[in-house]
Amino acid sequence: MVEGGAIDHGNHSNDAGAMIHEAHEFDLAVAEALKFQAAHPEETLIVVTADHETGGLQFVDKSAVKPGFAAMQKMPLRLLSKQVAKMLDQNKSEAEIIQWLCNQIGIKDLTAAESAKLSKAMKRVLAKQTTAKDKLTGYGNYNPLVIAAFQVRDARNGIQYTTSGHTDTKISTLVKGAGAELFKEPQENSDIPHRISIAMLGDDKDLSSGLTPLPFAADAIDYLVPRTSYPDSLMFQFGTIGKAPQKLELKDASGKLIKSVPGKDVCGFETFGGLTPDTEYTLEMTKADGSVQKSVGRTLPQPKGKKLFSFIVLSDLHYSCFGDIPYGRMVTFSSKILTDLVKFANDNKIPVIIQPGDCADASRDEQYAEIMEIMKVYKGTNLATPGNHDRSGEGYKKFFGQNEAGIQEINGVQFVWLATGGPNTGFLGKKSNNAEVLKKYDPSRPAVIFSHYQLTKDSKMTDKDRAIHDEDKAPKPQVQEMLKKIASAKSTVIYIGHKNTATDVKLGNCWQINCPQPSQFPCGYLLVDVYEDGLLQHYMPATEARIDEASRRMGSGSLRQWTSRDGRSFPVWNRFIPMEIVAK
């Protein structure tokens, strides 16, 4: 990869001479690439493109352009400005400075109007003023005299700049070599890496499919797991390295074939309906090489009571406006994930969404603004508590409100959110209103508590952030009293974010459940159906299968081999939790 990055800098500073010089240098680099392509035509693709146009450079009069005018410029704006400042320090006169500057960029015999323009710019320099700063890109603040001299030179050559920022002028993508046919149609610049990937590695689908290209991971292995359970259905997820499986066959405990489906892609979700509640089934995946991989899943039992309502646990969204994280967090999809989830909640009349922290990835105001913009169409109640990625700022205050912890009753169930993230990350009893909230909490009545940090440690996590520090590392009497009250409850469940690893442990009578994360494998959230006699909890995929598979392949070794986070996920994230929601 070769970048002619200084072309952009030349245009930001409206320095046509520097821009032309750098474009010529870039052209020489392309010429070298063409020589290589000519020697290796079957295996070389050259792509020349840009991310945007800069400066809004225009022709006013093409016939006025004098060949070679840029070559007369001896140095770029930065060095010209530095020398002007030096001459001022040496008490050089205005006439001497202007004459020197004109000689440096090839201007001779100034007209009266041109002299007046430069003299006016010189007064701005003496007043220590600079050119205006472009609000969007931050470029600007240049030496007014040097910019005015450029404008005089450019006007003589029939060209002009319109901005120091970026423009929406269409740019070209030029290609040559193997795979060039993939670039025939106009594209968004975000399409280009996809097309290069297909040219290099191939793809078994045509471009119109819109499939997410998958990264290569040498140590990733094939996997097949049960993913989601209902009383009458099971959904399995699979991923293969290489070719798509031949078929997937669901069988009951006796080996009887329930359903067979052909393999269509190297990864996917397959749902099988019409099943018997609380029953074990086996899915057999016949791979491309004829070998068979098996996975066992169990349907959930059918609750005895009446279904009352549902709620969603959306943990660790990590909403971001930036690129994906190298270890597999697919944050570029966070906007679509949240938009799709809100639509699902509205379509299914789900009255509550709870978020146990890390709503934004970097606690930036624009991230919270985009979350709130998407959430404003949600017809239910959104309850959120901060995580360790949610720290401060105006957007933080608007999103979480004045009190980071709270309690609200919805459909006869207490929803309690405790602040263990934010500015007091890792603590339950430190500078928050958690104690006030727990005074209002009634452990004799049904409740859902959610927190970013675990309230009590479990045996499967051993790192320093395995639980709140004022219980795990240095127990505080006040915190122990708060936890004792929760532990005494008979119909309370606790949902936890932060680790996004499928673990569970009991705090007294209450199950504490670590939740999935929607942007990192396995990418999902929890849908909880509230019945009179308990909670029926299901894992729900948050993305399409290829995005989930890309996250797995980009993740750590344990993720690529699906032993970490995913190994215990099915029984932890799909379960019936007996609770007395409606008193008998």
Side-chain angles (χ1 to χ4, degrees):
M1 177 175 171
V2 176
E3 182 185 11
I7 299 171
D8 176 66
H9 288 273
N11 280 334
H12 274 301
S13 57
N14 292 178
D15 186 348
M19 178 273 291
I20 292 172
H21 173 80
E22 294 296 339
H24 177 64
E25 293 288 307
F26 182 70
D27 190 58
L28 294 176
V30 173
E32 288 298 313
L34 288 170
K35 290 179 185 177
F36 184 89
Q37 191 272 335
H40 309 277
E42 300 302 319
E43 60 185 64
T44 307
L45 170 68
I46 299 176
V47 181
V48 179
T49 189
D51 52 345
H52 54 75
E53 192 276 341
T54 299
L57 183 60
Q58 298 176 344
F59 282 110
V60 178
D61 181 3
K62 286 187 178 182
S63 65
V65 179
K66 300 175 183 65
F69 80 88
M72 299 174 70
Q73 182 174 326
K74 299 175 182 177
M75 60 183 76
L77 175 137
R78 180 178 63 83
L79 296 180
L80 291 169
S81 300
K82 188 175 180 180
Q83 186 61 31
V84 167
K86 184 177 180 180
M87 294 177 75
L88 285 170
D89 289 341
Q90 295 170 346
N91 295 317
K92 298 289 185 180
S93 68
E94 176 181 315
E96 287 177 302
I97 294 173
I98 290 177
Q99 181 61 49
W100 176 85
L101 180 58
C102 289
N103 288 338
Q104 296 299 308
I105 62 175
I107 300 176
K108 296 180 180 179
D109 303 321
L110 290 171
T111 66
E114 291 170 341
S115 294
K117 181 182 180 74
L118 296 182
S119 182
K120 183 179 179 180
M122 186 68 184
K123 289 180 172 60
R124 292 186 63 196
V125 173
L126 294 172
K128 299 190 183 304
Q129 296 177 358
T130 61
T131 61
K133 187 176 182 180
D134 181 73
K135 293 180 180 179
L136 291 178
T137 64
Y139 285 92
N141 293 342
Y142 300 122
N143 184 297
L145 178 61
V146 179
I147 294 295
F150 285 162
Q151 290 171 350
V152 169
R153 188 267 316 274
D154 294 349
R156 289 184 174 193
N157 286 276
I159 61 173
Q160 70 175 12
Y161 282 95
T162 58
T163 178
S164 62
H166 301 158
T167 74
D168 61 357
T169 301
K170 184 178 177 181
I171 57 95
S172 298
T173 297
L174 309 173
V175 297
K176 184 174 183 179
E181 68 279 359
L182 298 169
F183 294 81
K184 288 181 179 178
E185 300 298 324
Q187 301 126 35
E188 294 290 336
N189 59 9
S190 55
D191 290 337
I192 293 172
H194 186 184
R195 310 266 171 147
I196 293 173
S197 174
I198 294 171
M200 290 176 65
L201 305 175
D203 196 307
D204 57 357
K205 304 292 181 182
D206 63 58
L207 291 175
S208 63
S209 68
L211 289 173
T212 302
L214 295 172
F216 176 72
D219 60 346
I221 63 174
D222 298 343
Y223 77 100
L224 174 67
V225 293
R227 186 59 82 205
T228 300
S229 180
Y230 279 83
D232 62 349
S233 68
L234 283 171
M235 184 182 74
F236 289 80
Q237 184 176 3
F238 69 91
T240 54
I241 307 302
K243 296 182 179 179
Q246 297 180 34
K247 60 182 178 179
L248 298 105
E249 295 180 321
L250 186 72
K251 298 180 179 181
D252 63 17
S254 69
K256 178 183 176 182
L257 179 65
I258 305 297
K259 187 177 181 180
S260 177
V261 295
K264 300 174 184 176
D265 197 3
V266 294
C267 59
F269 300 108
E270 285 294 342
T271 300
F272 301 89
L275 307 181
T276 304
D278 200 15
T279 302
E280 192 172 275
Y281 293 88
T282 299
L283 186 66
E284 296 182 358
M285 177 173 70
T286 303
K287 302 181 189 180
D289 63 2
S291 63
V292 177
Q293 189 168 342
K294 299 180 181 181
S295 183
V296 177
R298 192 177 192 89
T299 52
L300 289 174
Q302 179 63 52
K304 296 177 181 178
K306 175 185 175 183
K307 181 180 174 181
L308 305 174
F309 68 100
S310 301
F311 64 90
I312 286 172
V313 187
L314 176 62
S315 181
D316 295 67
L317 174 63
H318 285 280
Y319 192 98
S320 179
C321 319
F322 303 105
D324 294 327
I325 308 299
Y327 51 80
R329 189 174 286 156
M330 312 295 282
V331 293
T332 52
F333 296 94
S334 53
S335 175
K336 185 177 188 310
I337 287 169
L338 185 58
T339 300
D340 291 348
L341 183 140
V342 168
K343 184 179 186 304
F344 173 82
N346 283 337
D347 290 348
N348 290 276
K349 297 181 172 57
I350 295 172
V352 190
I353 296 173
I354 64 174
Q355 298 188 55
D358 281 357
C359 306
D361 190 58
S363 200
R364 296 174 67 100
D365 290 348
E366 60 266 33
Q367 292 171 349
Y368 293 115
E370 290 190 20
I371 294 172
M372 289 186 284
E373 180 66 22
I374 295 171
M375 292 295 298
K376 73 180 183 181
V377 301
Y378 176 48
K379 298 174 183 178
T381 301
N382 181 55
L383 306 174
T385 188
N388 59 303
H389 283 248
D390 303 302
R391 294 182 290 274
S392 60
E394 290 302 313
Y396 174 96
K397 293 175 184 176
K398 290 178 183 178
F399 186 73
F400 293 105
Q402 186 174 1
N403 295 317
E404 296 155 330
I407 181 169
Q408 184 173 339
E409 184 167 320
I410 300 174
N411 294 344
V413 175
Q414 302 170 90
F415 284 87
V416 181
W417 56 104
L418 300 177
T420 56
N424 308 305
T425 286
F427 294 89
L428 181 65
K430 186 178 180 182
K431 295 181 182 179
S432 69
N433 59 323
N434 289 326
E436 298 170 25
V437 167
L438 286 174
K439 285 180 182 178
K440 300 175 184 178
Y441 160 65
D442 183 353
S444 69
R445 299 180 55 241
V448 173
I449 295 176
F450 58 103
S451 158
H452 192 59
Y453 273 71
Q454 290 202 126
L455 301 182
T456 187
K457 59 182 176 288
D458 66 54
S459 61
K460 300 177 184 69
M461 292 188 194
T462 57
D463 65 277
K464 64 180 182 179
D465 278 342
R466 62 182 180 175
I468 51 172
H469 305 323
D470 43 7
E471 187 275 336
D472 185 24
K473 297 178 181 178
K476 297 289 190 294
Q478 179 194 18
V479 171
Q480 290 179 322
E481 284 300 313
M482 288 192 276
L483 296 178
K484 184 177 179 181
K485 183 175 183 178
I486 296 173
S488 70
K490 295 182 179 179
S491 294
T492 290
V493 65
I494 306 164
Y495 288 108
I496 303 297
H498 192 38
K499 293 300 183 182
N500 314 112
T501 299
T503 65
D504 57 3
V505 69
K506 276 202 164 183
L507 175 60
N509 300 311
C510 310
W511 276 111
Q512 175 183 269
I513 299 168
N514 268 278
C515 301
Q517 177 180 123
S519 60
Q520 189 170 21
F521 180 82
C523 303
Y525 59 91
L526 299 181
L527 173 64
V528 184
D529 298 323
V530 182
Y531 285 80
E532 292 177 329
D533 55 334
L535 305 181
L536 196 65
Q537 177 185 292
H538 324 275
Y539 171 92
M540 300 292 287
T543 67
E544 57 153 290
R546 276 198 162 225
I547 296 172
D548 213 1
E549 176 67 2
S551 176
R552 178 177 83 101
R553 296 188 185 190
M554 289 169 62
S556 63
S558 58
L559 269 186
R560 291 193 292 273
Q561 297 173 21
W562 61 275
T563 53
S564 170
R565 186 172 295 170
D566 199 26
R568 303 175 295 269
S569 65
F570 183 71
V572 173
W573 292 338
N574 297 273
R575 65 201 301 173
F576 178 68
I577 304 171
M579 290 171 60
E580 192 174 272
I581 306 298
V582 176
K584 296 179 181 178

